[in-house]
Amino acid sequence: MYLIVVPQGQTGCAEVDSMTEAVAGKGFLLGCISCKRREEVPASAIVDWHFKAAGTEEFIQIFQYEYNNPTILHENFEGRLEWQGTMWTKDVQIGAIFIHNVTYNDTGTYLCTFHRTLYLPLCEEHVVINKEVELTVVEKANPELTAVISEIMIYVLITVLQLWMIGVLIYCYRKIYAENEAREAKKAACSQNKLVESKDPCDGIYLE
């Protein structure tokens, strides 16, 4: 979903938006991806996560990841956040975190920040990338609109195919019935013609 591995050890990165609807009491993956423009340039990154609860104005820092050192920084998320991003390398491009046991208080805005250092041949370049996720917590999962439309289209297609099959069967039945009728009529005509041809020409002539 996040990284597409290609041959010869090279990695292609695709930025995908995070889901935005979580179910209370369940787990939820907060997605955050920041791809480097040039894969061949070595780099390192630190990822920070901040949270702004619904109805508030200030962000609070809740999590930080620096090479093999994930740290939960706020008591409201203690024991509930788990790093699900890039592992075993300082070159972090996936900064996802998993929230266990989501509550309604988790509704709000999440800010994912990459502090990236690019090690160029002549110097180091420092880049900051911010990505926001607006999370809504609901009681039950709502089916995606596209999924609903797809299901409706499948049912419509099945119904149309069934009606088409019925139409084909009716057409074939009528065609076969008409061919049988024509065949029977032809047989009757042939039998009548044979009867006329075999009739004695003297029939109906009476001698006085």
Side-chain angles (χ1 to χ4, degrees):
M1 178 177 180
Y2 294 110
L3 288 179
I4 303 172
V5 179
V6 296
Q8 299 181 352
Q10 297 179 345
T11 303
C13 177
E15 296 191 6
V16 181
D17 292 336
S18 173
M19 302 293 286
T20 58
E21 187 177 274
V23 179
K26 304 292 185 179
F28 183 78
L29 181 68
L30 279 169
C32 181
I33 305 175
S34 174
C35 301
K36 293 188 305 183
R37 293 183 179 179
R38 296 178 60 183
E39 283 291 332
E40 69 275 11
V41 177
S44 64
I46 297 172
V47 179
D48 289 325
W49 277 93
H50 292 75
F51 171 62
K52 182 176 70 175
T56 63
E57 297 296 329
E58 295 184 0
F59 279 96
I60 57 173
Q61 187 170 5
I62 61 174
F63 189 87
Q64 183 180 80
Y65 179 82
E66 184 175 3
Y67 184 56
N68 284 345
N69 185 28
T71 307
I72 300 173
L73 299 173
H74 197 277
E75 59 183 6
N76 291 349
F77 292 89
E78 190 66 37
R80 295 200 300 128
L81 296 182
E82 180 182 350
W83 178 251
Q84 292 287 315
T86 304
M87 301 287 288
W88 317 120
T89 176
K90 294 181 179 180
D91 190 2
V92 178
Q93 297 188 67
I94 303 173
I97 57 174
F98 190 83
I99 306 177
H100 294 274
N101 191 25
V102 173
T103 70
Y104 290 104
N105 291 332
D106 295 332
T107 298
T109 304
Y110 291 81
L111 177 64
C112 170
T113 305
F114 279 81
H115 303 274
R116 176 171 289 138
T117 302
L118 300 171
Y119 302 104
L120 302 174
L122 299 179
C123 64
E124 294 183 0
E125 180 179 345
H126 301 281
V127 181
V128 177
I129 302 99
N130 292 314
K131 294 178 177 289
E132 287 191 1
V133 179
E134 294 288 341
L135 182 64
T136 302
V137 180
V138 297
E139 182 179 359
K140 294 181 179 180
N142 295 318
E144 294 290 336
L145 180 60
T146 53
V148 173
I149 294 176
S150 297
E151 289 185 8
I152 292 175
M153 291 303 295
I154 289 173
Y155 290 134
V156 170
L157 180 61
I158 291 174
T159 302
V160 170
L161 288 174
Q162 289 177 339
L163 292 175
W164 178 77
M165 287 297 297
I166 292 173
V168 170
L169 291 174
I170 293 175
Y171 169 78
C172 292
Y173 174 79
R174 288 181 175 177
K175 185 177 181 180
I176 293 172
Y177 179 79
E179 289 177 352
N180 287 336
E181 288 291 316
R183 190 178 299 109
E184 292 297 326
K186 187 176 181 180
K187 287 181 179 179
C190 289
S191 298
Q192 186 174 3
N193 290 337
K194 288 180 180 180
L195 181 62
V196 171
E197 291 175 358
S198 61
K199 189 175 181 181
D200 189 343
C202 296
D203 289 349
I205 302 175
Y206 300 97
L207 295 175
E208 293 182 359

